[in-house]
Amino acid sequence: MLLRGTLMTSQHREDFVAFLQLQHPVHVKELVSMAHRLSKSTPQQLSLATFADGCMRELRPLPEGSYPMFRSAYPKFVVDLQLKERERIAEDERVLKLKQENVEQLAQRNQEMALKLAQWK
């Protein structure tokens, strides 16, 4: 109901399906306001107090802000992207280590050649 306006502007089926497949933040204040409006117009026999009597004794307020839809796991593309990034970083570190070893070998070889040159003169 909170995103009704956005859904109503969808011109094509693909837009509607794509909208439903994405996560959208929920503005808590709007959600609570809508819940209060619905609660006032709900008949007593269908009200939450009657339905969940005793089930919701310990209610706590929600923090301000909006909450994204939570899933039980991260989306696959995010995990794959993180794995690829880790692999790329590991490869970069391996190449960097090889380059450092080459520089050290060249420095050592340079010192050896400098000694040989000094001895030759």
Side-chain angles (χ1 to χ4, degrees):
M1 288 179 77
L2 290 174
L3 302 172
R4 182 176 186 261
T6 307
L7 286 172
M8 296 300 288
T9 61
S10 297
Q11 300 265 333
H12 305 284
R13 181 181 186 278
E14 295 82 23
D15 296 339
F16 186 77
V17 170
F19 178 84
L20 293 176
Q21 290 176 344
L22 295 175
Q23 293 185 16
H24 301 282
V26 175
H27 297 281
V28 176
K29 285 184 180 182
E30 291 178 27
L31 181 65
V32 171
S33 297
M34 182 176 288
H36 284 297
R37 286 195 311 270
L38 290 172
S39 176
K40 288 178 184 176
S41 64
T42 303
Q44 181 62 31
Q45 66 267 22
L46 298 176
S47 72
L48 182 62
T50 304
F51 180 71
D53 190 26
C55 294
M56 302 178 77
R57 292 172 197 239
E58 191 177 319
L59 296 177
R60 285 168 267 163
L62 292 172
E64 288 189 23
S66 57
Y67 293 82
M69 184 184 342
F70 293 104
R71 295 184 180 188
S72 59
Y74 286 102
K76 183 174 176 10
F77 74 91
V78 172
V79 174
D80 290 345
L81 181 67
Q82 289 175 346
L83 288 174
K84 285 179 186 176
E85 185 66 15
R86 286 181 185 160
E87 289 171 359
R88 185 192 63 76
I89 290 171
E91 179 64 20
D92 288 350
E93 288 175 348
R94 187 186 67 75
V95 168
L96 180 62
K97 185 177 179 182
L98 286 173
K99 287 180 180 180
Q100 287 174 337
E101 289 172 357
N102 286 341
V103 167
E104 290 172 5
Q105 288 174 358
L106 286 173
Q108 183 180 1
R109 183 111 188 234
N110 190 21
Q111 284 180 344
E112 291 171 1
M113 291 184 81
L115 285 175
K116 285 182 182 180
L117 181 63
Q119 290 173 356
W120 185 69
K121 287 186 178 181

